[in-house]
Amino acid sequence: MLYAVFMSATLPPFPRPQEPTGEPELLQLSSAGDEPCLRADAARNRARLLEAATRLIAEHGAAGVTMEAVAAAANVGKGTVFRRFGDRTGLLTALLDHSSRKLQADFLGGPPPLGPGAPAIERLRAFGVAVLYRSVEQLDLQLAAQPESTRRFAHPSIRALHTHVTILLRQIAPDADCELLAQTLMGYLDPALIHHLTEQCGMPLERLEKGWIDLVDRVTRSGPPC
């Protein structure tokens, strides 16, 4: 493997309210409807609900995460879960948003080649491989959390990844339509496609990794990595 980022299947612990996380400034993940600053008690309730959902995923998979089950596991009323997350997709998306912050911290301020300090082409190759490994680790959750088609590409976490790829492409091929090329590259990293290739077609992850490197080099007209 040219570059691999292994991410634990267990989501990282949720930061305590008003506790600094030590991460660099991240691309915005919160949806427009989120409160800009949660009260301490509301933040504690939100963290408790997400922790309960994480336990349910570990025990029963994403299919075991219902609004009723999360409410029972967190010892709160079902209405509290709906008020905080809107629906089941909103709850699952919140779990993914939390785990996405680790990936964002890595590509915004982590060590190269994923983080700053490496040439843009090396960072782009490393980014796709990191997303591939993260997707495989959390594939059940990612598939369950996918919003309906009209909201799929507009979600803040997806826009954040697209923005990062677009920025790297502008450094590599400034004369190209980098926004559209970024969409093409992100299509390769779609969780549903990864599920199809790994689970239904039986392709090893190493093949998808090499395919990503090849796709990047062909799209950007770059030579193969050394």
Side-chain angles (χ1 to χ4, degrees), residues 14 45-55 85 91 94-95:
F14 296 97
N45 285 338
R46 185 177 191 276
R48 187 168 67 176
L49 291 169
L50 291 175
E51 287 166 356
T54 301
R55 291 196 303 271
F85 300 106
L91 171 62
L95 287 171

Side-chain angles (χ1 to χ4, degrees), residues 208-226:
L208 271 65
E209 179 178 343
K210 291 179 181 178
W212 167 260
I213 302 299
D214 183 53
L215 176 63
V216 167
D217 290 344
R218 291 176 187 275
V219 165
T220 60
R221 298 180 182 177
S222 304
C226 298

Side-chain angles (χ1 to χ4, degrees), residues 169-226:
L169 285 172
R170 285 173 177 161
Q171 297 175 41
I172 301 166
D175 58 337
D177 189 336
C178 295
E179 290 189 12
L180 285 181
L181 285 183
Q183 294 287 6
T184 299
L185 291 175
M186 290 301 298
Y188 186 93
L189 304 174
D190 181 79
L193 177 60
I194 294 172
H195 174 266
H196 171 69
L197 295 176
T198 58
E199 301 296 326
Q200 298 175 332
C201 297
M203 291 187 187
L205 188 54
E206 289 79 5
R207 181 176 176 185
L208 271 65
E209 179 178 343
K210 291 179 181 178
W212 167 260
I213 302 299
D214 183 53
L215 176 63
V216 167
D217 290 344
R218 291 176 187 275
V219 165
T220 60
R221 298 180 182 177
S222 304
C226 298

Side-chain angles (χ1 to χ4, degrees), residues 24-27 102-110 114-116 123 164:
E25 183 178 354
L26 302 178
L27 299 174
K102 174 62 170 66
L103 175 62
Q104 287 198 38
D106 287 342
F107 70 64
L108 286 175
L114 183 56
R123 296 189 66 195
H164 179 63

Side-chain angles (χ1 to χ4, degrees), residues 1 17 20 47 53 67 93 108 133 142 145 150 160 167 200 225:
M1 290 180 291
M67 304 299 265
T93 300
L108 286 175
Y133 277 84
Q142 291 205 15
T150 56
I167 291 171
Q200 298 175 332

